[in-house]
């Protein structure tokens, strides 16, 4: 079994966000295989405050978080209308994703994301 640590960036990772802070973050912290390396929110102040808790890098622009060489896995924990855009960006950069359901706003977006990694080859 591979023992490599997986570096995680959370888009929507504000500790004020009741969903991420109550679900994704505790689960990731409980597993030593994962390390939270980046926190992205729409506001740099909240990103900095939340990132300090994990000694992580703050981002106010999800595209910069997705491009970070310090991130292997992107957790998409934002409102549904933004799932598709962020997940597609992460996949296009070769990142693994965990995306809250639904993947997109409609079936077509979800199908495209599911097939996206194959389209890149």
């Amino acid at each position: 079994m591979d023992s490599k640590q997986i570096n995680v960036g959370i888009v929507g990772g504000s500790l004020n966000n009741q969903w991420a802070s109550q679900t994704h973050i505790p689960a990731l912290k409980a597993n030593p295989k994962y390390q939270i390396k980046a926190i992205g929110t729409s506001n740099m102040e909240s990103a900095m405050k939340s990132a300090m808790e994990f000694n992580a890098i703050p981002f106010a622009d999800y595209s910069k978080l997705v491009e970070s060489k310090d991130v292997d896995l992107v957790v998409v924990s934002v409102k549904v209308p933004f799932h598709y855009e962020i997940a597609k960006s992460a996949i296009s950069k070769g990142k693994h994703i965990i995306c809250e359901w639904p993947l997109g706003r409609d079936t077509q977006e979800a199908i495209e994301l599911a097939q996206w990694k194959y389209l890149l080859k």
Side-chain angles (χ1 to χ4, degrees):
M1 178 180 267
D2 185 8
S3 62
K4 180 182 183 276
Q5 184 170 321
I6 299 169
N7 296 322
V8 180
I10 304 173
V11 180
S14 171
L15 294 179
N16 295 329
N17 173 332
Q18 291 301 306
W19 185 250
S21 67
Q22 300 299 312
T23 58
H24 303 303
I25 291 172
L28 291 164
K29 284 175 55 178
N31 188 328
K33 189 163 182 112
Y34 298 96
Q35 182 171 359
I36 299 171
K37 297 290 265 185
I39 297 288
T41 72
S42 58
N43 175 293
M44 183 52 89
E45 185 178 336
S46 69
M48 289 173 64
K49 183 177 180 182
S50 297
M52 281 192 319
E53 292 289 319
F54 308 106
N55 195 28
I57 306 164
F59 291 91
D61 179 345
Y62 80 84
S63 65
K64 301 292 186 203
L65 181 148
V66 164
E67 293 172 0
S68 174
K69 64 179 176 31
D70 296 313
V71 172
D72 305 314
L73 168 70
V74 176
V75 175
V76 182
S77 183
V78 295
K79 293 180 181 175
V80 171
F82 304 105
H83 285 188
Y84 171 80
E85 176 183 328
I86 296 167
K88 185 174 178 179
S89 178
I91 293 167
S92 74
K93 299 296 181 191
K95 309 292 179 161
H96 296 280
I97 64 166
I98 294 175
C99 183
E100 298 174 355
W101 59 271
L103 281 173
R105 291 173 289 194
D106 56 33
T107 303
Q108 185 57 42
E109 285 185 356
I111 290 170
E112 183 179 339
L113 285 176
Q115 296 174 341
W116 187 252
K117 71 176 185 175
Y118 301 109
L119 298 174
L120 294 175
K121 293 182 179 178

Coordinates of all heavy atoms in Angstrom, one line a residue, residues 44-106:
M44 N -10.1 37.0 1.3 CA -8.7 36.7 1.7 C -8.6 36.7 3.3 O -7.9 35.9 3.9 CB -7.7 37.6 1.1 CG -6.3 37.3 1.5 SD -5.8 35.6 1.3 CE -5.2 35.6 -0.4
E45 N -9.4 37.6 3.9 CA -9.3 37.7 5.4 C -9.8 36.4 6.0 O -9.1 35.8 6.9 CB -10.2 38.9 5.9 CG -10.1 39.1 7.4 CD -10.9 40.3 7.8 OE1 -11.2 41.2 7.0 OE2 -11.2 40.3 9.0
S46 N -10.9 35.8 5.5 CA -11.4 34.6 6.1 C -10.5 33.4 5.7 O -10.3 32.5 6.5 CB -12.8 34.3 5.7 OG -12.9 34.0 4.3
A47 N -9.9 33.5 4.5 CA -9.0 32.4 4.1 C -7.7 32.4 5.0 O -7.3 31.4 5.4 CB -8.6 32.6 2.6
M48 N -7.2 33.6 5.3 CA -6.0 33.7 6.1 C -6.3 33.2 7.5 O -5.6 32.4 8.1 CB -5.5 35.1 6.2 CG -4.9 35.5 4.9 SD -4.5 37.3 4.8 CE -3.2 37.4 6.1
K49 N -7.5 33.6 8.1 CA -7.9 33.2 9.4 C -8.0 31.6 9.5 O -7.5 31.0 10.4 CB -9.2 33.9 9.8 CG -9.6 33.6 11.2 CD -10.8 34.3 11.6 CE -11.3 34.0 13.0 NZ -12.5 34.7 13.4
S50 N -8.7 31.1 8.5 CA -8.9 29.6 8.5 C -7.6 28.9 8.2 O -7.3 27.8 8.9 CB -10.0 29.2 7.5 OG -11.2 29.8 7.8
A51 N -6.8 29.4 7.3 CA -5.5 28.7 7.0 C -4.6 28.7 8.1 O -3.8 27.7 8.3 CB -4.9 29.4 5.8
M52 N -4.6 29.7 9.0 CA -3.7 29.7 10.2 C -3.9 28.5 11.1 O -3.0 28.0 11.7 CB -3.9 31.0 10.9 CG -3.2 32.2 10.3 SD -3.1 33.7 11.4 CE -4.6 33.8 12.2
E53 N -5.2 28.1 11.1 CA -5.5 26.9 12.0 C -4.8 25.7 11.6 O -4.6 24.8 12.4 CB -7.0 26.7 12.0 CG -7.8 27.8 12.6 CD -7.6 27.8 14.2 OE1 -7.6 26.7 14.8 OE2 -7.5 28.9 14.7
F54 N -4.4 25.6 10.3 CA -3.8 24.4 9.8 C -2.4 24.6 9.3 O -1.8 23.7 8.6 CB -4.6 23.8 8.6 CG -6.1 23.7 8.9 CD1 -7.0 24.6 8.5 CD2 -6.5 22.7 9.8 CE1 -8.4 24.5 8.8 CE2 -7.8 22.6 10.1 CZ -8.8 23.5 9.6
N55 N -1.8 25.8 9.5 CA -0.5 26.1 9.0 C -0.6 25.9 7.4 O 0.4 25.3 6.9 CB 0.6 25.3 9.6 CG 1.9 25.9 9.3 OD1 2.1 27.1 9.1 ND2 2.9 25.1 9.3
A56 N -1.6 26.4 6.8 CA -1.9 26.2 5.4 C -1.7 27.5 4.6 O -1.6 28.6 5.2 CB -3.3 25.6 5.2
I57 N -1.8 27.4 3.3 CA -1.7 28.5 2.5 C -3.1 29.1 2.2 O -3.9 28.3 1.8 CB -1.0 28.2 1.1 CG1 0.4 27.5 1.4 CG2 -0.8 29.4 0.2 CD1 0.9 26.8 0.2
P58 N -3.3 30.4 2.4 CA -4.6 30.9 2.1 C -4.8 31.3 0.6 O -3.8 31.8 0.0 CB -4.7 32.1 3.0 CG -3.3 32.6 3.1 CD -2.4 31.4 3.0
F59 N -6.0 31.2 0.1 CA -6.3 31.6 -1.3 C -7.6 32.3 -1.3 O -8.6 31.8 -0.7 CB -6.3 30.4 -2.2 CG -5.0 29.8 -2.5 CD1 -4.5 28.8 -1.7 CD2 -4.1 30.3 -3.5 CE1 -3.3 28.2 -1.9 CE2 -2.9 29.7 -3.7 CZ -2.5 28.7 -3.0
A60 N -7.8 33.4 -2.0 CA -9.1 34.0 -2.2 C -9.5 33.7 -3.7 O -10.6 34.1 -4.0 CB -9.0 35.5 -2.0
D61 N -8.7 33.1 -4.5 CA -9.0 32.8 -5.8 C -8.8 31.3 -6.0 O -7.7 30.7 -5.9 CB -8.0 33.5 -6.8 CG -8.3 33.3 -8.2 OD1 -8.9 32.3 -8.6 OD2 -7.7 34.0 -9.0
Y62 N -9.9 30.5 -6.2 CA -9.8 29.1 -6.3 C -8.9 28.6 -7.4 O -8.2 27.6 -7.3 CB -11.2 28.5 -6.5 CG -11.7 28.5 -7.9 CD1 -11.3 27.5 -8.9 CD2 -12.5 29.5 -8.4 CE1 -11.7 27.6 -10.2 CE2 -12.9 29.6 -9.7 CZ -12.5 28.6 -10.6 OH -12.9 28.7 -11.9
S63 N -8.8 29.4 -8.5 CA -7.9 28.9 -9.6 C -6.4 28.9 -9.2 O -5.7 28.1 -9.6 CB -8.1 29.8 -10.8 OG -7.7 31.1 -10.6
K64 N -6.0 29.8 -8.3 CA -4.7 29.8 -7.7 C -4.4 28.6 -6.8 O -3.4 27.9 -6.9 CB -4.3 31.1 -7.0 CG -4.5 32.3 -7.8 CD -3.4 32.4 -8.9 CE -3.5 33.7 -9.6 NZ -3.0 33.7 -10.9
L65 N -5.4 28.2 -6.0 CA -5.4 27.0 -5.2 C -5.2 25.8 -6.0 O -4.4 24.9 -5.8 CB -6.6 26.9 -4.3 CG -6.6 25.8 -3.3 CD1 -7.4 26.1 -2.1 CD2 -7.3 24.5 -3.9
V66 N -6.0 25.7 -7.1 CA -6.0 24.5 -8.0 C -4.7 24.4 -8.7 O -4.2 23.3 -8.9 CB -7.2 24.7 -9.0 CG1 -7.0 23.7 -10.2 CG2 -8.5 24.4 -8.3
E67 N -4.0 25.5 -9.0 CA -2.7 25.5 -9.7 C -1.5 25.2 -8.7 O -0.4 24.9 -9.2 CB -2.5 26.8 -10.4 CG -3.4 27.1 -11.5 CD -3.3 28.5 -12.1 OE1 -2.5 29.3 -11.6 OE2 -4.0 28.8 -13.0
S68 N -1.8 25.3 -7.4 CA -0.7 25.1 -6.5 C 0.0 23.8 -6.5 O -0.7 22.7 -6.5 CB -1.2 25.4 -5.0 OG -0.2 25.1 -4.1
K69 N 1.3 23.8 -6.6 CA 2.1 22.5 -6.6 C 2.0 21.8 -5.2 O 2.3 20.7 -5.1 CB 3.5 22.8 -7.0 CG 4.3 23.7 -6.1 CD 5.7 23.9 -6.5 CE 6.5 24.8 -5.7 NZ 6.2 24.9 -4.3
D70 N 1.5 22.5 -4.2 CA 1.4 22.0 -2.9 C 0.1 21.2 -2.7 O -0.1 20.7 -1.6 CB 1.5 23.1 -1.8 CG 2.8 23.8 -1.9 OD1 3.9 23.1 -1.9 OD2 2.9 25.0 -1.9
V71 N -0.7 21.1 -3.7 CA -2.1 20.5 -3.6 C -2.2 19.3 -4.5 O -1.9 19.5 -5.7 CB -3.2 21.5 -3.8 CG1 -4.5 20.8 -3.9 CG2 -3.2 22.6 -2.8
D72 N -2.5 18.1 -4.0 CA -2.7 16.9 -4.8 C -4.2 16.7 -5.0 O -4.6 16.2 -6.0 CB -2.2 15.7 -4.1 CG -0.7 15.8 -3.7 OD1 0.1 16.2 -4.6 OD2 -0.4 15.5 -2.5
L73 N -5.0 17.0 -4.0 CA -6.4 16.8 -3.9 C -7.2 18.0 -3.6 O -6.8 18.7 -2.7 CB -6.7 15.7 -2.9 CG -8.2 15.5 -2.5 CD1 -8.9 14.8 -3.6 CD2 -8.3 14.7 -1.2
V74 N -8.2 18.3 -4.4 CA -9.0 19.5 -4.2 C -10.4 19.1 -3.7 O -11.1 18.3 -4.4 CB -9.2 20.4 -5.5 CG1 -10.1 21.6 -5.3 CG2 -7.8 20.8 -6.0
V75 N -10.8 19.6 -2.6 CA -12.1 19.4 -2.0 C -13.0 20.6 -2.5 O -12.6 21.7 -2.2 CB -12.1 19.3 -0.5 CG1 -13.5 19.2 0.0 CG2 -11.3 18.1 -0.1
V76 N -14.1 20.3 -3.1 CA -15.0 21.4 -3.6 C -16.1 21.4 -2.6 O -17.0 20.6 -2.6 CB -15.5 21.1 -5.0 CG1 -16.4 22.2 -5.5 CG2 -14.3 20.9 -6.0
S77 N -16.1 22.5 -1.8 CA -17.2 22.6 -0.8 C -17.7 24.0 -0.8 O -17.6 24.8 0.1 CB -16.5 22.4 0.6 OG -17.5 22.4 1.6
V78 N -18.4 24.3 -1.9 CA -19.0 25.6 -2.2 C -20.4 25.4 -2.7 O -20.9 24.3 -2.8 CB -18.2 26.4 -3.2 CG1 -16.8 26.8 -2.7 CG2 -18.1 25.7 -4.5
K79 N -21.1 26.5 -3.0 CA -22.5 26.4 -3.5 C -22.5 25.7 -4.8 O -21.6 25.8 -5.6 CB -23.1 27.7 -3.5 CG -23.3 28.4 -2.2 CD -24.0 29.7 -2.3 CE -24.1 30.3 -0.9 NZ -24.6 31.7 -0.9
V80 N -23.6 24.9 -5.1 CA -23.7 24.1 -6.3 C -23.4 24.8 -7.6 O -22.8 24.2 -8.4 CB -25.2 23.5 -6.3 CG1 -25.4 22.8 -7.6 CG2 -25.3 22.5 -5.2
P81 N -23.8 26.1 -7.8 CA -23.6 26.7 -9.1 C -22.1 26.8 -9.4 O -21.7 26.9 -10.6 CB -24.2 28.1 -9.0 CG -25.2 27.9 -8.0 CD -24.7 26.9 -7.0
F82 N -21.2 26.6 -8.5 CA -19.7 26.7 -8.7 C -19.0 25.3 -8.7 O -17.8 25.3 -9.0 CB -19.1 27.6 -7.6 CG -19.8 28.9 -7.5 CD1 -20.6 29.3 -6.5 CD2 -19.5 29.9 -8.5 CE1 -21.2 30.5 -6.5 CE2 -20.1 31.1 -8.5 CZ -21.0 31.4 -7.4
H83 N -19.7 24.3 -8.4 CA -19.1 22.9 -8.4 C -18.4 22.6 -9.7 O -17.3 22.2 -9.8 CB -20.1 21.8 -8.1 CG -20.6 21.8 -6.7 ND1 -21.3 20.8 -6.2 CD2 -20.3 22.6 -5.6 CE1 -21.6 21.0 -4.9 NE2 -21.0 22.1 -4.5
Y84 N -19.2 22.7 -10.8 CA -18.7 22.3 -12.1 C -17.4 23.1 -12.5 O -16.4 22.5 -12.9 CB -19.8 22.6 -13.2 CG -19.4 22.4 -14.6 CD1 -19.3 21.2 -15.2 CD2 -19.1 23.5 -15.4 CE1 -18.9 21.0 -16.5 CE2 -18.7 23.4 -16.7 CZ -18.6 22.2 -17.3 OH -18.2 22.0 -18.6
E85 N -17.5 24.4 -12.4 CA -16.4 25.3 -12.8 C -15.1 24.9 -12.0 O -14.0 24.8 -12.6 CB -16.7 26.7 -12.5 CG -15.7 27.7 -12.8 CD -16.2 29.1 -12.4 OE1 -17.4 29.4 -12.5 OE2 -15.3 29.9 -12.0
I86 N -15.2 24.7 -10.7 CA -14.0 24.4 -9.9 C -13.5 23.0 -10.1 O -12.3 22.8 -10.3 CB -14.4 24.7 -8.4 CG1 -14.7 26.2 -8.2 CG2 -13.2 24.2 -7.5 CD1 -15.3 26.5 -6.8
A87 N -14.5 22.1 -10.2 CA -14.1 20.7 -10.4 C -13.4 20.5 -11.8 O -12.3 19.8 -11.9 CB -15.3 19.8 -10.3
K88 N -13.9 21.2 -12.8 CA -13.3 21.1 -14.1 C -11.9 21.7 -14.1 O -11.0 21.1 -14.7 CB -14.2 21.8 -15.1 CG -13.7 21.6 -16.5 CD -14.7 22.2 -17.5 CE -14.2 22.1 -18.9 NZ -15.2 22.7 -19.9
S89 N -11.8 22.8 -13.4 CA -10.5 23.4 -13.3 C -9.5 22.5 -12.7 O -8.3 22.4 -13.1 CB -10.6 24.8 -12.6 OG -9.3 25.4 -12.5
A90 N -9.9 21.9 -11.6 CA -9.0 21.0 -10.8 C -8.6 19.8 -11.7 O -7.4 19.4 -11.7 CB -9.6 20.6 -9.5
I91 N -9.6 19.2 -12.3 CA -9.3 18.0 -13.2 C -8.3 18.4 -14.3 O -7.4 17.6 -14.6 CB -10.6 17.4 -13.7 CG1 -11.4 16.8 -12.6 CG2 -10.3 16.4 -14.8 CD1 -12.9 16.5 -12.9
S92 N -8.5 19.6 -14.9 CA -7.7 20.0 -16.0 C -6.2 20.2 -15.6 O -5.3 20.2 -16.4 CB -8.2 21.2 -16.7 OG -8.0 22.4 -15.9
K93 N -6.0 20.4 -14.3 CA -4.7 20.6 -13.8 C -4.1 19.3 -13.2 O -3.0 19.3 -12.6 CB -4.7 21.7 -12.6 CG -5.1 23.0 -13.1 CD -4.1 23.6 -14.1 CE -4.6 25.0 -14.5 NZ -3.9 25.5 -15.6
G94 N -4.8 18.2 -13.4 CA -4.3 16.9 -13.0 C -4.5 16.6 -11.6 O -3.9 15.7 -11.0
K95 N -5.4 17.3 -10.9 CA -5.7 17.1 -9.5 C -6.8 16.1 -9.3 O -7.7 16.0 -10.1 CB -6.1 18.4 -8.8 CG -5.2 19.6 -9.0 CD -3.8 19.4 -8.4 CE -2.9 20.6 -8.7 NZ -1.8 20.8 -7.8
H96 N -6.8 15.4 -8.2 CA -7.9 14.6 -7.8 C -8.9 15.5 -7.1 O -8.5 16.6 -6.6 CB -7.4 13.5 -6.8 CG -6.5 12.6 -7.4 ND1 -6.8 11.5 -8.2 CD2 -5.1 12.5 -7.3 CE1 -5.8 10.9 -8.6 NE2 -4.7 11.4 -8.1
I97 N -10.2 15.1 -7.1 CA -11.2 16.0 -6.5 C -12.1 15.1 -5.6 O -12.3 13.9 -5.8 CB -12.1 16.7 -7.5 CG1 -12.9 15.8 -8.4 CG2 -11.3 17.7 -8.4 CD1 -14.0 16.4 -9.2
I98 N -12.6 15.8 -4.6 CA -13.8 15.4 -3.9 C -14.8 16.5 -4.0 O -14.5 17.7 -3.6 CB -13.5 15.1 -2.4 CG1 -12.5 14.0 -2.2 CG2 -14.8 14.9 -1.6 CD1 -12.0 13.8 -0.8
C99 N -15.9 16.2 -4.6 CA -16.9 17.3 -4.8 C -18.2 16.9 -4.2 O -18.7 15.8 -4.4 CB -17.1 17.4 -6.3 SG -18.2 18.8 -6.8
E100 N -18.7 17.8 -3.4 CA -20.0 17.6 -2.8 C -21.0 17.4 -4.0 O -20.8 17.9 -5.1 CB -20.5 18.8 -2.0 CG -19.6 19.0 -0.8 CD -19.9 20.3 -0.1 OE1 -20.8 21.1 -0.6 OE2 -19.3 20.5 0.9
W101 N -22.0 16.6 -3.7 CA -23.0 16.4 -4.8 C -23.9 17.7 -4.9 O -24.0 18.4 -3.9 CB -23.9 15.2 -4.5 CG -24.6 15.3 -3.2 CD1 -24.1 14.9 -1.9 CD2 -25.9 15.8 -2.9 NE1 -25.0 15.1 -1.0 CE2 -26.1 15.7 -1.5 CE3 -26.8 16.4 -3.7 CZ2 -27.3 16.2 -1.0 CZ3 -28.0 16.9 -3.2 CH2 -28.2 16.8 -1.8
P102 N -24.4 17.9 -6.0 CA -24.1 17.3 -7.3 C -22.8 17.8 -7.9 O -22.4 18.9 -7.5 CB -25.3 17.7 -8.1 CG -25.7 19.0 -7.6 CD -25.4 19.0 -6.2
L103 N -22.3 17.1 -8.9 CA -21.1 17.6 -9.6 C -21.3 18.9 -10.4 O -20.4 19.7 -10.5 CB -20.6 16.5 -10.5 CG -19.8 15.4 -9.9 CD1 -19.5 14.3 -10.9 CD2 -18.5 15.8 -9.3
G104 N -22.5 19.0 -10.9 CA -22.9 20.2 -11.7 C -24.3 20.6 -11.5 O -25.0 19.9 -10.7
R105 N -24.7 21.5 -12.2 CA -26.1 22.0 -12.1 C -27.1 21.1 -12.9 O -28.3 21.2 -12.7 CB -26.2 23.4 -12.7 CG -25.5 24.4 -11.8 CD -25.5 25.8 -12.4 NE -24.6 25.7 -13.6 CZ -24.1 26.7 -14.2 NH1 -24.5 27.9 -13.9 NH2 -23.3 26.6 -15.2
D106 N -26.6 20.3 -13.8 CA -27.5 19.4 -14.5 C -26.7 18.2 -14.9 O -25.5 18.0 -14.7 CB -28.0 20.2 -15.8 CG -27.0 20.7 -16.7 OD1 -25.9 20.1 -16.8 OD2 -27.2 21.7 -17.3

